[in-house]
């Protein structure tokens, strides 16, 4: 249409350096290009993932044997050299693992990294609605991360990632660092809010001509639902950690029972954000799943509208289930109500899983790395989701509360769900982001190691949790040793798998084959531009004339039609329900 | 929802006519289709931001509700004992006037009444400064001197119940968060006044002015809830 007025020099890749080294660095530091900001978020979150992963490995190392092992050794050594490690080093390790993974990796990873990069591209827009705000939210993220790092460098926080009062507001020196961590979380919350606002306005106002709400890719629907939660829930976390900080600084007593306050109020506030935040973590992963399944099985997504609305349904239900984190800290009636409400979450989640499986039926499934991750997600996320039912029902929860069962459950959802989908999405979009193909064979090796390592690590935790192994202890009775050993060995396999992936990606950047614009034959708009995309995203403003998953009717752009022929028309219409649905 | 028809004359005009008044020279950022889409997007973004502000304060209101339910008699007594409703009422009136003048300022921009626009913005800023002045010099400083401070540092000798410090905690934290919003709001209004003095607001472009006005209304609205809940209990 009328928008194709940009100059020729904008038709170069967004990765094209601007002059010398310092000029290029300055260009990246001040960029308002959503793609560059997305890439910067990607590397920052991957670094956080690495850091959180190191802490996780140290935690698993400690648990390799029933008594204290490495951490005692570290203590004796460091006492000699004059550095003092207090005995609760273990508590700090799992706190830092949790806080870094939650606040610095898993919440921003998909929305801020991939959402920033692909939301405008998939909508056919030139940028997000507020590009300068976008850059600002990146700097806010860096500032918040810096505060968290300061608290780590000063010796870390040992409260658990939930910062429960009254422990987190105790007056001794140890707990000073909590202030840095909560200030960091407060600042990170702003970054999350601004990103969410930006995405909502972008979806409302910057869709390409011809793209109605139900022509949007399902990844956009998922990011949109996520953004709603980010905007509505994060301010409550903001005021909660703000209160916690002033509590610690000025002893205002709102959460302190000694001063008339109520520590359980903190739990309510905290989980009113942090339960919806669980869906900030998983919904974008579900969005990636829809793209992976649709493109790599070459099938129209079964029940597009149901999948889209289930994202909004999950977002809505997420706000009324926070009490299930507090079954042992509230009245019986409240627990029963929250238990019932919690089961409602199963409905939209199951709609998604069933629809993905139904999409696979009679699809042309390519068993490449993205699809393998998608299938892995179906397996691990289903286990994570179904074990959630054990924890949502009151009688079993009383037994399983605060055991390794719950640790295994949320790792199956967060890692087996979000992180697996993140890896799948990274492989799916890597050629588009950096214009390079990766080694499919080695990526599959990495997938196999991650998948096996993950299940070995966490399935054993289900077993020992059901037997009563409590969470957050550095030592344990000998009976649990086989499970802990298996879990620790699994964590090594998992780490090896991620290092294989790191190798694959670095190799791809250095020596990868140049990626074509549309390596997988996708139909969404990001595949219609170059790989990597040009600075203004598209050579001409895109006009949307088909749905995002109409693989039965449309030959993908930039592809040899011989590679992706349209399927033979099927005479009996009973075989393909939904084929003519729009 | 969004109209995709390009608006005539906007967006890709070759050069901006320098003889036009500054507010007519506004050109939307390149990723928007036209000025109108940019305006609508900015306003939607602002409303979303106001939602987050409301939810930020909802935490304070929730804490207030719970503690008042638990200790209602103490709260009613403490409200009369520690807070002066007259200063609160004066500040309420001042903020209401400022909300009216900022609304007038937006109207002035729409009508291209440049002088009235600046006067109304100036009155709004004065009202905001008066609010802060009364708050600090007639409430905060005397209270600090008398030891009516939150939580563990509470040292006022005339306390009648163990929950007096808790009431003061709620009072201090919620009014301090609100006060910081007044400070930010005055800063934004001063920036708007500067922009207005450059004649960059006019009938076709007043986006940031209207959004700052929305923010100021929210600050006012929060106070309208805080005033009765804290000063007029019982």
């Amino acid at each position: 249409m009328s928008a194709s007025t940009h100059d020729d020099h904008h038709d170069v890749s967004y990765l094209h350096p601007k002059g010398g080294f310092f000029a290029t660095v300055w260009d990246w530091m001040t960029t308002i290009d959503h793609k560059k900001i997305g890439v910067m978020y990607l590397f920052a979150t991957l670094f956080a993932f690495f850091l959180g992963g190191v802490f996780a490995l140290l935690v698993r190392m400690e648990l390799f044997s029933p008594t204290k092992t490495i951490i005692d050794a570290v203590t004796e050594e460091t006492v000699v050299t004059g550095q003092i490690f207090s005995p609760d080093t273990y508590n700090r390790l799992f706190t830092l693992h949790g806080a870094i993974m939650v606040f610095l990796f898993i919440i921003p990873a998909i929305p801020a990294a991939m959402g920033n990069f692909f939301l405008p591209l998939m909508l056919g827009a030139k940028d997000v609605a507020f590009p300068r705000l976008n850059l600002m939210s990146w700097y806010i993220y860096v500032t918040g991360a810096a505060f968290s790092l300061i608290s780590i460098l000063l010796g870390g926080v040992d409260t658990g990632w939930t910062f429960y009062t009254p422990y987190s507001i105790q007056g001794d020196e140890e707990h000073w660092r909590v202030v840095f961590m909560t200030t960091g979380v407060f600042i990170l919350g702003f970054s999350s809010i601004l990103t969410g606002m930006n995405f909502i306005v972008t979806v409302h106002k910057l869709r390409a001509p011809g793209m109605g709400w139900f022509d949007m890719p399902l990844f956009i629907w998922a990011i949109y639902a996520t953004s709603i939660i980010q905007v509505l829930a994060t301010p409550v976390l903001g005021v909660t950690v703000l209160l916690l900080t002033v509590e610690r600084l000025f002893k205002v007593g709102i959460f302190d029972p000694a001063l008339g306050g109520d520590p359980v109020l903190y739990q309510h506030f905290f989980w009113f954000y942090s339960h919806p935040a669980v869906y900030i973590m998983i919904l974008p992963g579900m969005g990636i799943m829809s793209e992976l399944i649709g493109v790599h099985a070459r099938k129209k997504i079964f029940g597009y509208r149901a999948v889209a609305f289930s994202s909004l349904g999950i977002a809505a239900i997420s706000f009324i289930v926070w009490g299930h984190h507090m079954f042992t800290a509230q009245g019986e009636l409240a627990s029963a109500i929250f238990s019932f409400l919690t089961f409602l979450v199963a409905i939209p989640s199951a709609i998604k899983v069933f629809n993905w499986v139904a999409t696979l039926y009679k699809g042309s499934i390519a068993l490449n790395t993205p699809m393998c991750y998608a299938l892995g997600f179906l397996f691990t996320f289903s286990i994570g989701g179904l074990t959630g039912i054990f924890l949502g029902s009151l009688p079993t929860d009383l037994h399983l509360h605060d055991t390794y069962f719950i640790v295994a459950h949320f790792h199956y959802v967060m890692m087996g769900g979000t992180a697996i989908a993140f890896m799948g999405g990274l492989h799916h979009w890597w050629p588009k982001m950096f214009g390079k193909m990766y080694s499919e064979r080695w990526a599959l090796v990495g997938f196999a190691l991650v998948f096996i390592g993950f299940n070995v690590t966490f399935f054993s935790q289900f077993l020992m949790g059901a037997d009563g192994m409590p969470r957050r202890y550095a030592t344990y009775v000998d009976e649990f040793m086989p499970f802990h050993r298996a879990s620790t060995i699994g964590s090594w396999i998992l780490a090896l798998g991620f290092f294989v992936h790191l190798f694959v990606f670095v190799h791809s950047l250095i020596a990868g084959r140049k990626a074509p614009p549309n390596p997988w034959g996708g139909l969404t708009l990001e595949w219609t531009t170059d790989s990597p995309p040009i600075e203004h995203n598209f050579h001409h403003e895109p006009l949307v004339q088909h749905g995002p998953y109409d693989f039965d009717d449309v030959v993908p752009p930039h592809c040899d039609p011989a590679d992706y022929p349209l399927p033979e028309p099927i005479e009996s219409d009973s075989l393909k329900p939904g084929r003519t649905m729009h | 929802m969004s109209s995709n028809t390009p608006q005539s004359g906007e967006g890709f005009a070759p050069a901006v006519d320098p003889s036009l008044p500054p507010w007519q020279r506004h050109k939307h950022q390149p990723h928007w289709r036209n000025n109108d889409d940019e305006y609508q997007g900015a306003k939607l973004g602002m409303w979303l931001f106001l939602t987050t502000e409301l939810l930020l304060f909802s935490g304070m209101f929730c804490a207030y509700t719970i503690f008042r339910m638990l200790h209602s008699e103490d709260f009613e007594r403490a409200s009369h004992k520690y807070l002066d409703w007259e200063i609160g009422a004066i500040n309420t009136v001042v903020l209401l006037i400022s909300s009216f003048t900022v609304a007038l300022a937006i109207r002035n921009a729409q009508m291209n009444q440049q002088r009235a626009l600046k006067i109304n913005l100036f009155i709004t800023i004065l009202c905001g400064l008066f609010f802060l002045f009364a708050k600090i010099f007639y409430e905060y400083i005397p209270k600090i001197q008398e030891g009516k401070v939150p939580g563990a540092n509470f040292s006022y000798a005339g306390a009648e119940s163990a929950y007096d410090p808790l009431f003061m905690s709620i009072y201090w934290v919620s009014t301090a968060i609100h006060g910081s919003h007044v400070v930010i709001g005055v800063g934004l209004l001063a920036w708007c006044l500067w922009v207005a003095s450059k004649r960059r607001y006019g009938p076709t472009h007043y986006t940031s002015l209207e959004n700052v006005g929305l923010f100021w209304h929210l600050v006012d609205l929060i106070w309208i809830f805080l005033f009765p809940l804290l000063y007029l209990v019982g």
Side-chain angles (χ1 to χ4, degrees):
Chain A
M1 285 176 77
S2 63
S4 54
T5 55
H6 37 254
D7 306 319
D8 283 343
H9 68 269
H10 287 308
D11 285 350
V12 296
S13 150
Y14 80 101
L15 290 171
H16 191 71
K18 294 264 191 305
F21 175 75
F22 289 107
T24 306
V25 169
W26 181 248
D27 174 56
W28 276 78
M29 301 302 285
T30 57
T31 184
I32 54 170
D33 182 343
H34 67 99
K35 300 183 286 298
K36 288 180 180 170
I37 295 171
V39 169
M40 292 197 290
Y41 264 119
L42 179 68
F43 285 105
T45 51
L46 284 176
F47 176 71
F49 184 59
F50 172 76
L51 203 60
V54 169
F55 286 126
L57 286 172
L58 289 173
V59 165
R60 285 307 331 160
M61 271 300 285
E62 167 62 31
L63 294 169
F64 190 70
S65 101
T67 51
K68 287 192 176 174
T69 48
I70 51 157
I71 283 165
D72 263 354
V74 168
T75 311
E76 283 162 18
E77 232 179 71
T78 47
V79 166
V80 173
T81 57
Q83 285 178 307
I84 310 296
F85 271 64
S86 66
D88 58 1
T89 309
Y90 177 81
N91 296 350
R92 290 192 207 146
L93 287 176
F94 73 68
T95 301
L96 295 176
H97 164 67
I100 288 174
M101 283 298 197
V102 168
F103 294 113
L104 291 177
F105 169 66
I106 209 161
I107 287 179
I110 299 177
M114 292 181 183
N116 250 322
F117 200 102
F118 286 104
L119 181 118
L121 278 171
M122 289 173 117
L123 290 172
K126 284 187 203 144
D127 209 320
V128 291
F130 311 118
R132 278 176 300 198
L133 195 69
N134 203 18
L135 180 66
M136 191 170 114
S137 82
W138 149 256
Y139 278 107
I140 294 174
Y141 170 84
V142 173
T143 312
F147 269 93
S148 313
L149 285 178
I150 287 171
S151 96
I152 295 172
L153 292 177
L154 292 176
V157 175
D158 67 347
T159 58
W161 75 277
T162 51
F163 316 120
Y164 267 13
T165 54
Y167 185 64
S168 57
I169 50 173
Q170 282 175 0
D172 56 280
E173 191 123 333
E174 279 296 299
H175 293 80
W176 259 107
R177 297 183 290 261
V178 174
V179 173
F180 287 98
M181 190 60 104
T182 52
T183 311
V185 170
F186 180 71
I187 295 169
L188 287 170
F190 274 105
S191 162
S192 186
I193 289 172
L194 295 179
T195 303
M197 276 170 48
N198 220 335
F199 287 176
I200 291 177
V201 178
T202 310
V203 170
H204 275 268
K205 298 290 181 192
L206 287 175
R207 300 194 306 279
M211 184 182 280
W213 281 87
F214 295 106
D215 303 317
M216 293 197 307
L218 286 165
F219 179 67
I220 304 289
W221 274 101
I223 291 283
Y224 183 74
T226 309
S227 301
I228 290 175
I229 308 178
Q230 282 177 311
V231 166
L232 293 184
T234 318
V236 179
L237 177 77
V239 76
T240 309
V241 292
L242 186 68
L243 283 173
L244 190 65
T245 308
V246 293
E247 180 93 53
R248 183 66 193 73
L249 291 174
F250 303 111
K251 300 191 178 64
V252 295
I254 289 172
F255 299 135
D256 188 350
L259 297 170
D262 188 353
V264 178
L265 183 66
Y266 175 83
Q267 296 189 19
H268 278 287
F269 278 2
F270 184 83
W271 289 113
F272 184 83
Y273 162 77
S274 291
H275 194 79
V278 170
Y279 300 101
I280 295 177
M281 303 175 205
I282 191 66
L283 271 170
M286 291 170 157
I288 289 180
M289 274 297 289
S290 300
E291 300 303 317
L292 299 185
I293 297 265
V295 172
H296 297 280
R298 310 214 58 71
K299 258 307 273 303
K300 190 177 184 120
I301 291 287
F302 183 83
Y304 169 94
R305 286 190 185 219
V307 176
F309 281 122
S310 64
S311 288
L312 296 182
I314 288 174
I317 295 170
S318 75
F319 283 97
I320 50 174
V321 298
W322 79 90
H324 70 219
H325 294 270
M326 306 166 54
F327 280 158
T328 54
Q330 64 193 358
E332 285 176 10
L333 178 65
S335 291
I337 291 169
F338 277 122
S339 171
F340 171 76
L341 292 172
T342 300
F343 290 132
L344 290 181
V345 183
I347 297 168
S349 309
I351 286 174
K352 283 178 184 291
V353 172
F354 285 128
N355 281 359
W356 291 325
V357 175
T359 305
L360 290 174
Y361 177 68
K362 284 189 184 261
S364 317
I365 299 171
L367 276 179
N368 52 17
T369 317
M371 180 50 106
C372 282
Y373 268 109
L375 298 175
F377 178 101
L378 285 176
F379 181 81
T380 49
F381 178 75
S382 298
I383 294 176
L386 290 171
T387 50
I389 295 176
F390 293 45
L391 297 165
S393 69
L394 294 175
T396 43
D397 183 67
L398 282 181
H399 175 64
L400 299 169
H401 185 84
D402 268 351
T403 66
Y404 264 76
F405 192 90
I406 195 154
V407 176
H409 158 70
F410 67 70
H411 278 92
Y412 260 85
V413 181
M414 296 292 93
M415 174 134 199
T418 311
I420 293 279
F422 173 78
M423 291 305 290
L426 199 54
H427 284 88
H428 178 67
W429 280 316
W430 183 269
K432 180 56 70 184
M433 292 176 95
F434 298 103
K436 295 287 179 71
M437 299 305 287
Y438 51 84
S439 159
E440 190 67 54
R441 182 181 304 176
W442 281 101
L444 281 171
V445 170
F447 161 75
L449 289 170
V450 167
F451 186 73
I452 294 167
F454 170 79
N455 281 294
V456 171
T457 308
F458 293 107
F459 202 82
S460 51
Q461 298 187 0
F462 277 128
L463 302 176
M464 64 175 134
D467 284 353
M469 171 73 208
R471 65 191 286 202
R472 295 186 167 173
Y473 283 86
T475 57
Y476 51 87
V477 293
D478 291 344
E479 282 81 351
F480 293 117
M481 197 170 71
F483 300 121
H484 273 298
R485 289 249 153 117
S487 185
T488 302
I489 291 167
S491 73
W492 297 337
I493 303 174
L494 192 54
L496 183 65
F498 280 114
F499 275 108
V500 171
H501 279 306
L502 180 67
F503 162 76
V504 168
F505 285 139
V506 172
H507 176 265
S508 153
L509 285 180
I510 296 169
R513 186 163 55 81
K514 185 169 167 29
N518 193 0
W520 320 119
L523 290 180
T524 40
L525 289 175
E526 79 269 31
W527 304 113
T528 62
T529 187
D530 300 359
S531 295
I534 57 169
E535 215 158 276
H536 279 193
N537 290 356
F538 300 99
H539 293 284
H540 303 285
E541 185 172 19
L543 179 65
V544 179
Q545 287 168 315
H546 55 76
Y549 310 108
D550 288 345
F551 295 102
D552 290 353
D553 311 316
V554 183
V555 176
H558 302 299
C559 281
D560 188 350
D563 289 343
Y564 299 106
L566 292 178
E568 293 289 315
I570 295 170
E571 293 303 321
S572 160
D573 53 6
S574 65
L575 278 175
K576 282 211 167 184
R579 183 175 153 75
T580 54
M581 220 175 73
H582 279 287
Chain B
M1 292 263 295
S2 68
S3 88
N4 296 322
T5 50
Q7 308 249 319
S8 62
E10 283 187 343
F12 302 107
V16 183
D17 183 358
S19 67
L20 290 172
W23 51 269
Q24 281 190 2
R25 285 186 233 152
H26 173 77
K27 190 174 178 303
H28 58 83
Q29 286 180 290
H31 60 288
W32 292 100
R33 290 190 190 89
N34 52 53
N35 282 353
D36 192 47
D37 272 11
E38 187 185 54
Y39 167 73
Q40 298 288 348
K43 216 159 126 176
L44 176 59
M46 193 63 203
W47 277 104
L48 288 168
F49 180 70
L50 294 187
T51 314
T52 70
E53 288 284 5
L54 212 55
L55 281 155
L56 184 84
F57 280 100
S58 74
M60 285 315 301
F61 286 122
C62 181
Y64 172 89
T65 310
I66 293 200
F67 290 125
R68 187 169 159 195
M69 270 167 59
L70 292 173
H71 319 293
S72 54
E73 283 177 15
D74 291 315
F75 265 46
E76 284 168 23
R77 194 180 35 69
S79 166
H80 289 297
K81 189 177 167 69
Y82 293 99
L83 302 182
D84 185 353
W85 70 268
E86 284 160 344
I87 296 173
I90 291 169
N91 265 346
T92 308
V93 173
V94 166
L95 276 192
L96 283 173
I97 291 170
S98 75
S99 255
F100 178 64
T101 51
V102 81
L104 279 183
I106 295 165
R107 187 68 190 148
N108 293 144
Q110 290 169 340
M111 308 287 283
N112 200 18
Q113 296 158 339
Q114 297 289 340
R115 191 180 147 78
L117 162 64
K118 279 178 275 186
I119 291 172
N120 276 317
L121 274 178
F122 190 66
I123 296 172
T124 314
I125 293 168
L126 280 186
C127 288
L129 290 175
F130 179 87
F131 178 92
L132 290 170
F133 175 79
K135 191 96 212 141
I136 291 169
F137 288 98
Y138 288 92
E139 293 205 86
Y140 281 171
I141 289 179
K143 283 191 175 56
I144 291 172
Q145 284 165 349
E146 293 167 30
K148 296 169 180 172
V149 292
N153 298 316
F154 188 90
S155 60
Y156 179 59
E160 288 172 42
S161 127
Y163 296 107
D164 285 14
L166 187 64
F167 177 80
M168 290 315 282
S169 293
I170 300 274
Y171 164 80
W172 273 91
V173 175
S174 49
T175 57
I177 299 178
H178 176 263
S180 65
H181 280 77
V182 176
V183 172
I184 292 167
V186 168
L188 290 171
L189 286 165
W191 173 72
C192 281
L193 183 60
W194 179 76
V195 175
S197 73
K198 303 267 180 197
R199 301 174 71 85
R200 287 193 348 226
Y201 291 132
T204 56
H205 179 64
Y206 49 89
T207 312
S208 57
L209 178 67
E210 186 170 19
N211 284 340
V212 170
L214 283 172
F215 179 77
W216 191 252
H217 289 314
L218 181 91
V219 172
D220 188 14
L221 198 63
I222 300 278
W223 178 256
I224 286 172
F225 280 89
L226 283 179
F227 171 58
L229 288 177
L230 293 170
Y231 291 74
L232 303 180
V233 181

